Amino acid sequence: MSVPLEVDAYWKRAVHSRPSHPKRKDKVVAHLNRRSVLIGAALTASACGSTSTTKGSVLVIGAGMAGLTAANDLARAGYQVTVLEARDRTGGRLCTDRSWPDAPLDLGASWIHGIDGNPVAELRDKFGVSTVVFNQDVVTAYSGGQRIDPEAMQADLMATMTAAADLATRPEYAHTSVAAGTDLALDRAHLPADAADRMRNTMRHLTQDGFGADAEQIPLWIFGTDHAEAGDQVVFPGGYDQLTTRLATELDVRLRHVVRHIAIHESSVRVETDQGSFSADRVLVTVPLGVLKTDAITFDPPLPAAKQQAIRTLGMGLYNKLFLRFDHRFWDDADMILEYGLAQEPVAAWFPLHRVSGVPMIVALRGGSVARRIETLDDTATVTEAMTALRAIWGDRVPEPLAHKVTRWSTDPYALGSYSYPGIDSVPGDRDALAAPVADRIFFAGEATHDTAAATVHGALLSGRREATRITALG
Ligand SMILES: Cc1cc2nc3c(=O)[nH]c(=O)nc-3n(C[C@H](O)[C@H](O)[C@H](O)COP(=O)(O)OP(=O)(O)OC[C@H]3O[C@@H](n4cnc5c(N)ncnc54)[C@H](O)[C@@H]3O)c2cc1C
């Protein structure tokens, strides 16, 4: 029997909402003040009653969810918008592979994390794209091929998380890592040694899964927040990229335009690409944090010190997928299957996908240093390792896979990682510093710039909307 591990579901939603710091209240006030200024500016602009059909020109760099959302909002507001995209497709980290025609594979994001009040769910409804519910509540867990008692595991996890959450709100632990915080929490939870070990591994795994980084790299304060998203989690049987494809339909999107340099001139901004130069009144940069961390795009003048600091202290995590396709299903009918006791990783997580497409497929999701290690393997070694792990649970019942698909997001030159995380030295203002405009000419959006929903699709969408509002407010 499968028992829901509600604590884990709580974690998934909490970490994917990328919570902010305990001192958030001050930020909310600041945010509200800033919003009033923007609304005031917007009212002033409309009161002036511009009669021209275009309000000015904007170049949007990047055709992911953030860029396409902003581009649509700006075009609707009367701006002349051109989107410059390095890839030969739109969507960015929404990337659906259709080489298995009966089972589109989302190589990037899969889930809308909580559909209640989620702007991505609203977009889905507007475009009439179908989704299926795929919560992460029903979990089966194994160690050495034996089922772990789910009720005992749930109780252990609850005890560990409660102790960790209590520590997380204390200022003296502001720079303590999840790894160190877990050790402290386990001291308080008084679990038997084997259960404590399992919980240590669980916390490591959950951190790698949620942030694409290791427990040593993530601050404990993320436990002291309450930004869980509400409602079912859903996935797209026909592919998540249906949303970005639809968003791009009416826009002037220039694919295969790799931006190299952005320079502010007196009353315009010049953008150099490998296909020539473009000029506009303003530029909105939505490239991933991983790209900003390199000098792939240079800025003139150089970016302000606070922004450079934020680019350094925020981390770019890694999260990869291995899809395995079989001729029949041999796994449990659970949302997620966890496997402990493997030599090469703290916990292996498997997500059965047969419910989504009807095809007997399972996907392994790996984050942090585990994902980085696996990226050094070729496909054959990656699949062999995964098959060994599956056979440790189901033995001879596991046939050879018919096909596989592996992602390697850290080597993707236009992502250089999967999603951003708060580094151990991050401070609460880092994401705002990353989002701050430069001289009201260069603007920044993208998941990493969103204060409370970074690392998600809805965070990207909201950041694009935020910057479109900011630009519109300037007239
Ligand atoms: C494996 C994986 C799983 C994930 N799972 C989920 C999930 O289940 N749910 C969820 O909510 N989120 C998930 N995410 C995160 C989510 O995909 C991202 O937060 C979101 O898609 C980011 O959108 P964005 O517009 O900020 O960036 P992007 O989608 O990366 O868009 C930026 C664009 O900029 C372009 N670009 C880069 N460099 C240049 C250049 N020099 N010139 C021109 N263009 C350039 C890129 O090609 C890209 O198209 C996942 C991500 C990954 C990788």
Side-chain angles (χ1 to χ4, degrees), residues 73-90:
D73 286 3
L74 289 166
R76 214 175 296 121
Y79 290 81
Q80 185 196 323
V81 182
T82 305
V83 183
L84 301 174
E85 167 56 51
R87 301 177 195 271
D88 60 2
R89 60 169 181 83
T90 58

Side-chain angles (χ1 to χ4, degrees), residues 249-287:
T249 313
E250 307 275 312
L251 295 170
D252 175 9
V253 181
R254 313 285 175 94
L255 299 176
R256 298 180 206 86
H257 279 64
V258 182
V259 171
R260 307 251 193 249
H261 184 66
I262 300 175
I264 298 180
H265 290 268
E266 251 171 41
S267 58
S268 66
V269 190
R270 194 170 173 80
V271 173
E272 310 288 346
T273 78
D274 62 344
Q275 309 281 341
S277 311
F278 294 76
S279 270
D281 299 324
R282 304 184 204 285
V283 169
L284 172 59
V285 177
T286 74
V287 302

Side-chain angles (χ1 to χ4, degrees), residues 16 61-68 84-87 89-94 106-113 240 257-260 286-288 291 296-297 319-321 407 409 412-415 417-419 445-448 453-461 463:
H16 274 288
I61 318 294
M65 181 55 86
L68 294 174
L84 301 174
E85 167 56 51
R87 301 177 195 271
R89 60 169 181 83
T90 58
R93 282 170 277 169
L94 293 187
D106 273 317
L107 306 182
S110 296
W111 276 274
I112 302 180
H113 289 297
Y240 216 143
H257 279 64
V258 182
V259 171
R260 307 251 193 249
T286 74
V287 302
V291 174
I297 302 177
Y319 191 58
N320 273 323
K321 303 186 175 183
T407 70
W409 281 98
D412 179 322
Y414 305 122
S418 300
Y419 37 72
E447 56 84 9
T456 66
V457 179
H458 60 277
L461 186 157
S463 75

Side-chain angles (χ1 to χ4, degrees), residues 81-266:
V81 182
T82 305
V83 183
L84 301 174
E85 167 56 51
R87 301 177 195 271
D88 60 2
R89 60 169 181 83
T90 58
R93 282 170 277 169
L94 293 187
C95 173
T96 308
D97 179 292
R98 293 188 172 78
S99 51
W100 301 351
D102 54 350
L105 304 177
D106 273 317
L107 306 182
S110 296
W111 276 274
I112 302 180
H113 289 297
I115 53 174
D116 292 357
N118 191 317
V120 180
E122 286 161 18
L123 202 60
R124 168 202 67 172
D125 296 342
K126 179 177 161 194
F127 292 150
V129 175
S130 63
T131 53
V132 298
V133 173
F134 197 133
N135 289 320
Q136 298 171 22
D137 297 343
V138 180
V139 179
T140 54
Y142 294 82
S143 180
Q146 301 299 310
R147 279 288 289 273
I148 298 171
D149 173 8
E151 305 217 11
M153 198 169 138
Q154 178 164 356
D156 293 348
L157 190 53
M158 180 66 89
T160 311
M161 296 281 267
T162 305
D166 176 47
L167 295 169
T169 54
R170 302 192 190 178
E172 65 265 36
Y173 297 116
H175 291 285
T176 299
S177 69
V178 169
T182 299
D183 285 341
L184 292 169
L186 287 172
D187 283 347
R188 291 162 181 231
H190 303 298
L191 301 179
D194 61 335
D197 261 2
R198 190 173 301 137
M199 284 306 111
R200 195 170 284 108
N201 283 336
T202 303
M203 299 295 271
R204 300 191 80 79
H205 161 72
L206 292 174
T207 311
Q208 290 174 340
D209 181 76
F211 297 96
D214 289 353
E216 289 77 9
Q217 297 172 287
I218 302 295
L220 183 66
W221 53 255
I222 54 113
F223 283 96
T225 58
D226 55 358
H227 289 281
E229 288 119 0
D232 282 327
Q233 305 201 55
V234 300
V235 297
F236 295 76
Y240 216 143
D241 73 348
Q242 294 172 95
L243 298 187
T244 37
T245 300
R246 291 287 296 273
L247 276 175
T249 313
E250 307 275 312
L251 295 170
D252 175 9
V253 181
R254 313 285 175 94
L255 299 176
R256 298 180 206 86
H257 279 64
V258 182
V259 171
R260 307 251 193 249
H261 184 66
I262 300 175
I264 298 180
H265 290 268
E266 251 171 41

Side-chain angles (χ1 to χ4, degrees), residues 11 53 61 64 119 129 150-151 185 190 192 219 223 254 295-296 306 317 353 379 422-423 428 472 474:
W11 164 275
T53 48
I61 318 294
V129 175
E151 305 217 11
H190 303 298
F223 283 96
R254 313 285 175 94
D295 57 3
L353 293 181
D379 276 23
T472 310
L474 293 170

